[in-house]
Amino acid sequence: MAEETKCSCGSANVGIFACSGASNVGQIANKIAVELTKQEVGKMMCTVGIGGRINGLLKSAEGSERLIAIDGCPLNCTKETLELAGFTPDRHIVISELGIKKNKDLDLKDEEVKEARDKVKEILQSE
């Protein structure tokens, strides 16, 4: 049985925003956001829709008690997109700062995904 991950924030209404950039770390960020949503840590939301100022998506983000931003690299596109729309993430995680080197290989390595996923879980479970 898979270990259940919870955000230590204690909130049931957590918005998860992720990078989905054209690199391994961008795709790992996206994959982890999908997994966190499936584990009911929070609900994955559309980062691009926030950047596009789509009204319904902005309202969904506004209705979240907590926001998690998962970026692939130090460009911090997810965090910047949220901040430009007036949101401040409660948690900001950068995959390339977790020991995964950024490259353009979109064929993800299972060991890198697992390493990043385990470290993200640790971060979310700590305060």
Side-chain angles (χ1 to χ4, degrees):
M1 177 180 227
E3 181 182 323
E4 188 174 334
T5 303
K6 293 287 184 195
C7 180
S8 66
C9 64
S11 175
N13 187 10
V14 178
I16 303 171
F17 293 87
C19 170
S20 60
S23 69
N24 62 325
V25 292
Q27 293 304 305
I28 290 171
N30 190 69
K31 186 173 181 81
I32 290 171
V34 170
E35 289 180 17
L36 291 173
T37 298
K38 288 179 179 179
Q39 294 172 3
E40 299 182 354
V41 172
K43 181 179 178 188
M44 187 174 182
M45 296 186 175
C46 183
T47 305
V48 174
I50 297 298
R53 305 299 193 271
I54 306 302
N55 193 42
L57 300 175
L58 291 167
K59 287 189 184 305
S60 292
E62 288 170 4
S64 297
E65 294 173 29
R66 306 274 291 192
L67 300 177
I68 298 170
I70 306 174
D71 273 304
C73 73
L75 292 176
N76 295 326
C77 298
T78 300
K79 180 177 179 259
E80 294 291 329
T81 297
L82 288 168
E83 289 177 347
L84 285 171
F87 300 104
T88 302
D90 297 286
R91 295 280 178 112
H92 179 231
I93 300 166
V94 181
I95 299 300
S96 64
E97 293 176 1
L98 303 178
I100 309 297
K101 185 174 176 163
K102 181 180 180 178
N103 62 51
K104 296 294 183 183
D105 186 1
L106 298 178
D107 292 321
L108 302 181
K109 312 277 184 288
D110 290 338
E111 63 274 5
E112 288 183 344
V113 173
K114 182 185 181 322
E115 178 183 346
R117 181 183 57 235
D118 291 348
K119 289 179 179 178
V120 168
K121 285 180 180 182
E122 277 182 38
I123 291 166
L124 293 178
Q125 291 173 339
S126 69
E127 189 76 305

